[in-house]
Amino acid sequence: MHLKREILIFNSIFILFFLLVSCGKKEVKQTSEESKMTEEAFALMETIKNAYINKDMELIKDSSTEEGYKELSGVIKKFDSVELTFTPTWVEIEDSTISLTVSWKGVWMAYGNRKEERGLAVFILEGRPLRLSKILRANPFRQPE
């Protein structure tokens, strides 16, 4: 009787050990190319936003295509300080072009005046590595108007 009980306990422990070992590993999923491109797009827009806040036109130029830089540098107005937040709302990827839709909100101080604005912009990012090529809809860098 004791032998049967010991065999039953041994088998139970063996089955539990086997289940723990076989089910313990988690499968690591590979990051998709689209996910990598989306992360790169978010990082690029944060870089451009921070360069704008810090008035670093050289970094904006490095982060933009020639056409994108001309468009952007031509609309930037003088300001003393700015608080700008971006909230990505939609991403479309087509070949090597990404359309990143961003809801933005900003507060600008210029010449002693405070100006609050909000809007929705579509940033067109192209190439490898990604660069800003165009801004559609409500351009946050055109403020304060």
Side-chain angles (χ1 to χ4, degrees), residues 51-62:
Y52 171 74
I53 290 169
N54 296 316
K55 301 176 184 178
D56 186 347
M57 294 306 290
E58 193 63 34
L59 183 54
I60 291 173
K61 185 176 184 178
D62 292 343

Side-chain angles (χ1 to χ4, degrees), residues 52 72-79 108 141-145:
Y52 171 74
L72 192 56
S73 64
V75 299
I76 292 178
K77 296 182 175 69
K78 292 187 179 192
F79 59 88
W108 286 262
F141 306 116
R142 187 180 302 258
Q143 304 300 324
E145 286 189 317

Side-chain angles (χ1 to χ4, degrees), residues 126-138:
E126 297 178 335
R128 277 297 187 184
L130 289 174
R131 299 281 182 254
L132 175 68
S133 68
K134 209 180 277 185
I135 302 174
L136 307 174
R137 302 194 74 186

Side-chain angles (χ1 to χ4, degrees), residues 41-129:
F42 291 162
L44 177 63
M45 288 319 305
E46 278 298 309
T47 298
I48 292 173
K49 178 186 82 167
N50 291 332
Y52 171 74
I53 290 169
N54 296 316
K55 301 176 184 178
D56 186 347
M57 294 306 290
E58 193 63 34
L59 183 54
I60 291 173
K61 185 176 184 178
D62 292 343
S63 302
S64 306
T65 63
E66 187 175 327
E67 178 186 318
Y69 179 70
K70 285 180 184 177
E71 179 182 334
L72 192 56
S73 64
V75 299
I76 292 178
K77 296 182 175 69
K78 292 187 179 192
F79 59 88
D80 298 323
S81 66
V82 63
E83 294 173 24
L84 189 59
T85 56
F86 284 174
T87 305
T89 57
W90 189 258
V91 178
E92 286 185 33
I93 301 173
E94 189 175 309
D95 299 325
S96 63
T97 301
I98 295 179
S99 297
L100 177 60
T101 304
V102 172
S103 173
W104 58 267
K105 185 167 84 170
V107 179
W108 286 262
M109 290 297 295
Y111 309 108
N113 297 318
R114 177 187 162 108
K115 176 83 172 185
E116 286 188 50
E117 288 290 333
R118 61 179 57 219
L120 186 72
V122 179
F123 298 103
I124 308 298
L125 312 173
E126 297 178 335
R128 277 297 187 184

